[in-house]
Amino acid sequence: MSPQPFDSVKGFGVTFKQIFKKPITQQYPEYKRPVYPRFRGRHRLHVHENGLEKCVGCSLCAAACPADCIRVVAEENTPDNRVSAGERYARIYEINMSRCIFCGYCELACPFDAITLGNEYEISEYSRDDLIYTKDMLLAEPIKQVPVADRDLYDTPIPFYKDNS
């Protein structure tokens, strides 16, 4: 089937309409556009209020991961070295972010809500080795904290867990 003679004119019409609309200018490095509540970004490991880790080293997250990017090596808790609330804890917990597809299966598989996927999406690095996140990196607060642009300009709602916590 050959293209109709006015198809390209229709396409130029769409472009021509956009010329007269006011552009939305992003001051990106200084202000980030808010992401949607279900956005899956950088992984985080969490701790209880008493300081014990929520992760008990069960490796369910590693088993659920289709990209096989999570490595968990468990070790037994001892009375003098209590790391988590369970019998075991994750001595080594690593996520290879270069392999991760951000599907969220690890978050769903965790019975203790120890791992979550946050809203941070600036995780690019210059070296592949820097994309292997260790347990200490996952337990720490994200380093890059940038204020969010005026929410009234966008249709993105405030996430429930941030609004009601």
Side-chain angles (χ1 to χ4, degrees):
M1 221 169 116
S2 64
Q4 298 296 324
F6 294 108
D7 284 347
S8 57
V9 175
K10 281 185 194 176
F12 287 129
V14 172
T15 304
F16 190 69
K17 281 193 277 186
Q18 294 297 321
I19 292 173
F20 299 108
K21 289 188 177 181
K22 184 181 176 198
I24 299 176
T25 303
Q26 298 280 327
Q27 303 297 330
Y28 172 65
E30 291 81 26
Y31 294 99
K32 288 197 272 187
R33 185 175 183 165
V35 294
Y36 282 92
R38 294 190 320 180
F39 177 80
R40 294 186 292 258
R42 182 186 179 274
H43 299 71
R44 293 238 7 244
L45 282 176
H46 297 281
V47 295
H48 290 287
E49 291 81 20
N50 60 4
L52 294 176
E53 295 175 4
K54 287 187 175 184
C55 180
V56 295
C58 65
S59 300
L60 287 175
C61 54
C65 181
D68 196 28
C69 66
I70 300 175
R71 178 177 169 235
V72 180
V73 177
E75 194 167 288
E76 297 293 323
N77 272 323
T78 59
D80 56 328
N81 183 24
R82 195 96 182 126
V83 180
S84 72
E87 295 176 7
R88 301 183 312 167
Y89 71 98
R91 182 174 58 86
I92 297 174
Y93 195 103
E94 293 178 343
I95 297 180
N96 188 345
M97 298 299 271
S98 63
R99 296 190 70 185
C100 181
I101 58 173
F102 299 95
C103 62
Y105 288 168
C106 57
E107 187 177 19
L108 295 174
C110 183
F112 301 104
D113 294 329
I115 186 165
T116 58
L117 278 74
N119 291 338
E120 297 84 26
Y121 53 83
E122 294 175 327
I123 55 175
S124 61
E125 299 290 344
Y126 290 106
S127 170
R128 286 187 192 173
D129 295 336
D130 294 337
L131 287 171
I132 297 176
Y133 282 28
T134 62
K135 180 178 171 180
D136 295 332
M137 295 167 71
L138 294 167
L139 284 169
E141 288 288 326
I143 296 171
K144 301 174 184 173
Q145 293 291 331
V146 179
V148 175
D150 185 12
R151 290 187 183 273
D152 296 334
L153 294 175
Y154 308 106
D155 59 351
T156 307
I158 296 173
F160 179 80
Y161 65 89
K162 284 191 177 181
D163 198 24
N164 298 319
S165 62

